[in-house]
Amino acid sequence: MKHAFIFGTNIFLSNHRTFSYNDGQAITTFLTIRSFYNPQNSGAEELVIDADINTVDDHHPIRLTGNMVQQGDDVRVVTEPNRVRVYHANHAEPILDVYQLDPHEYAGLSSHITNEIHSQHPDPVFTIKGNFVIAGSHIYIENEKMLIDHDSFANGVENAHDGVVLFTSEKVHVH
């Protein structure tokens, strides 16, 4: 099953549900989608994630397993059947926001993203936003942009055969 993951205006298509960061020395998995919302399933599975990230302000580790906080001070998780948001105390914006789009919401996306969805037929489609640190690199993702350290990524399309791997030009890459 192919999945689509939207980071800002970038779309990654993959059969895998893992997200990693390559700092040039090591590849660190920071997000795994364990199950996705499936209203057609009689058990009506919900979106469930594992996450291993750090806060931006003080680099405190946050670890979730099955939507439950395993590590992290003053962290709360807000779940809906198709959404998981992770908040740090006294912050209005989530540190991490994973949202599974309903097909009727695809029309509001950028044309290059809807073109990929219509041509590759992924199911499901997720938006991933956040403001966190992985392996010492700051990752900031919102509606219109994705920044990794000082690199900006926009309007990209990638078939991520081995899962989504993010990186920045500021690090030395290993292949």
Side-chain angles (χ1 to χ4, degrees):
M1 173 182 283
K2 190 174 283 188
H3 304 66
F5 306 104
I6 302 166
F7 290 71
T9 59
N10 303 282
I11 184 169
F12 296 84
L13 296 125
S14 181
N15 292 329
H16 299 278
R17 296 184 272 185
T18 59
F19 305 86
S20 304
Y21 176 72
N22 182 344
D23 69 357
Q25 305 301 314
I27 296 175
T28 304
T29 299
F30 66 91
L31 177 64
T32 301
I33 296 179
R34 292 174 63 164
S35 66
F36 56 89
Y37 178 55
N38 186 353
Q40 283 76 35
N41 186 344
S42 60
E45 286 187 49
E46 294 187 353
L47 177 60
V48 177
I49 68 168
D50 292 346
D52 196 354
I53 58 178
N54 294 296
T55 60
V56 173
D57 49 0
D58 51 15
H59 294 261
H60 277 89
I62 297 171
R63 192 172 74 244
L64 271 63
T65 302
N67 293 351
M68 304 298 291
V69 177
Q70 302 299 313
Q71 181 179 8
D73 296 330
D74 299 328
V75 174
R76 67 183 169 95
V77 178
V78 177
T79 61
E80 298 171 39
N82 63 336
R83 190 173 206 166
V84 177
R85 289 177 284 191
V86 181
Y87 291 91
H88 197 232
N90 304 318
H91 289 81
E93 293 296 315
I95 299 167
L96 179 64
D97 183 355
V98 180
Y99 177 61
Q100 183 178 330
L101 295 166
D102 190 87
H104 78 272
E105 296 173 295
Y106 300 169
L109 299 170
S110 298
S111 61
H112 75 283
I113 291 175
T114 55
N115 289 344
E116 290 299 321
I117 291 170
H118 292 308
S119 68
Q120 296 203 36
H121 305 286
D123 185 44
V125 176
F126 299 90
T127 61
I128 298 173
K129 299 176 188 172
N131 189 13
F132 50 87
V133 173
I134 301 293
S137 290
H138 180 208
I139 298 177
Y140 177 71
I141 308 161
E142 65 167 22
N143 290 337
E144 298 296 320
K145 63 181 151 191
M146 178 170 71
L147 297 170
I148 302 175
D149 289 331
H150 294 36
D151 285 345
S152 178
F153 298 85
N155 301 320
V157 175
E158 183 176 333
N159 284 297
H161 300 291
D162 298 319
V164 176
V165 180
L166 305 179
F167 59 88
T168 177
S169 65
E170 295 181 15
K171 310 292 182 190
V172 177
H173 298 292
V174 291
H175 297 285

